Amino acid sequence: MSDGKEDPKADLALSDGPVRNPDIAKMRKEQERRYLRPWLSQTLSRKNLMALTGLFLCFFLVIHLFGNLQLLLPAEAARWQFNFYSKLLSENLFIQLISYILFASILAHALYALLITLQNRRANGKRYEYDRRSVSSQWYTRSMGLLGTIILVFLIIHLRDFWYQLQFGHVPLDKDGQKDLYTLVVSVYQNGWYVLIYVLSMVALGYHLLHGFFSAARTLGFYNARYVHWVRVVGWVYSIGISAGFALIPVYIHFTRP
């Protein structure tokens, strides 16, 4: 028997699905935004972007070093192979695209370094926070600004003497009709002062890489008890290998090539 009362849910078909409250959906979206904003802020922070651009530049240095090591071959083999390598890079559209990304990464890395420096000075007075830990921190850790400036000045000189000359200057051709970048490199490395500046800049690069590698690993969450030993080993091997490898090339050419 019916008691005369109607159940308001009786008219709802099962196929209609659950009743959605627009206020609850709005609240859920607000919660998602509340969690997403801090995540994006942390992921896209200046330190993270600086770490990522730094790691990209580290990868580029490995490729660049392998290409330059061709200069250590016997003179005639080095001339043909290095000139062919340079032509291959200059005519490859993909490599040209990578070069634009490289220049953008260098500028971004330098810009973020400047912004972080200004932010730290604004937050801590006149000095870095780690400057107050001079007893326990290494000197190169406290001198990253100076080391970075030395590398930036060297990079400008380096690009002027090689990249600019190759793109806009007059570079002679070798017997195969390729731009003779090898002869240009050898002529520049005959200058003892240039070689000295180059070697000192590579020393600065080695210390900069050493601290930067550890800092990037810490920023990205790899510098912990589980990985710290391997991070330190890889950081030392990489920094010494890259800086010593680049420094060896002009010294070798200066003393062995006429």
Side-chain angles (χ1 to χ4, degrees):
M1 295 180 60
S2 173
D3 57 1
K5 296 182 180 180
E6 294 184 357
D7 188 354
K9 296 182 180 180
D11 295 332
L12 293 177
L14 293 176
S15 60
D16 292 338
V19 179
R20 295 186 179 273
N21 189 329
D23 294 333
I24 294 178
K26 186 177 181 180
M27 290 174 60
R28 287 178 178 174
K29 288 184 179 180
E30 289 295 330
Q31 287 180 343
E32 290 176 358
R33 290 175 185 171
R34 198 176 302 122
Y35 287 116
L36 185 61
R37 286 172 184 170
W39 182 84
L40 287 174
S41 177
Q42 181 180 7
T43 304
L44 301 180
S45 69
R46 291 170 181 167
K47 286 188 176 181
N48 280 333
L49 289 173
M50 188 174 178
L52 293 174
T53 54
L55 291 177
F56 174 75
L57 295 175
C58 286
F59 175 74
F60 163 77
L61 288 175
V62 174
I63 304 301
H64 190 45
L65 177 59
F66 280 134
N68 286 4
L69 287 176
Q70 298 174 99
L71 294 166
L72 302 182
L73 295 171
E76 287 305 314
R79 182 191 304 275
W80 182 87
Q81 191 158 324
F82 189 71
N83 288 343
F84 176 77
Y85 165 76
S86 302
K87 179 183 178 181
L88 184 66
L89 294 183
S90 62
E91 295 179 353
N92 189 298
L93 293 178
F94 177 75
I95 298 299
Q96 292 180 10
L97 176 61
I98 294 297
S99 68
Y100 294 134
I101 298 175
L102 174 66
F103 289 137
S105 297
I106 293 173
L107 293 175
H109 192 74
L111 177 61
Y112 288 131
L114 178 61
L115 291 176
I116 291 173
T117 300
L118 295 176
Q119 183 181 12
N120 288 340
R121 289 188 176 183
R122 195 176 298 117
N124 301 300
K126 296 182 178 180
R127 305 174 70 90
Y128 283 117
E129 182 180 354
Y130 50 68
D131 283 346
R132 301 177 182 178
R133 298 186 283 110
S134 58
V135 176
S136 59
S137 61
Q138 300 292 338
W139 69 269
Y140 55 84
T141 302
R142 304 188 302 274
S143 305
M144 286 295 284
L146 174 62
L147 295 173
T149 302
I150 293 173
I151 296 168
L152 182 60
V153 171
F154 165 78
L155 184 60
I156 293 172
I157 297 173
H158 192 68
L159 290 174
R160 181 204 64 184
D161 290 338
F162 297 112
W163 180 84
Y164 182 84
Q165 291 299 325
L166 184 63
Q167 298 294 328
F168 307 106
H170 176 69
V171 179
L173 302 179
D174 62 11
K175 62 182 181 180
D176 297 312
Q178 304 173 134
K179 287 189 176 182
D180 197 355
L181 184 60
Y182 171 84
T183 298
L184 175 62
V185 171
V186 171
S187 64
V188 170
Y189 289 165
Q190 293 306 309
N191 187 330
W193 284 107
Y194 190 96
V195 173
L196 179 60
I197 293 173
Y198 195 111
V199 172
L200 293 177
S201 298
M202 292 305 101
V203 173
L205 176 65
Y207 282 114
H208 191 83
L209 289 174
L210 186 63
H211 172 74
F213 194 90
F214 296 154
S215 179
R218 187 178 294 109
T219 299
L220 298 176
F222 296 109
Y223 203 83
N224 52 49
R226 185 176 181 181
Y227 303 113
V228 63
H229 172 72
W230 290 109
V231 169
R232 293 187 63 84
V233 170
V234 172
W236 276 99
V237 171
Y238 174 83
S239 302
I240 295 175
I242 290 293
S243 56
F246 276 114
L248 171 64
I249 295 171
V251 173
Y252 178 82
I253 291 177
H254 180 77
F255 288 106
T256 62
R257 304 289 161 86

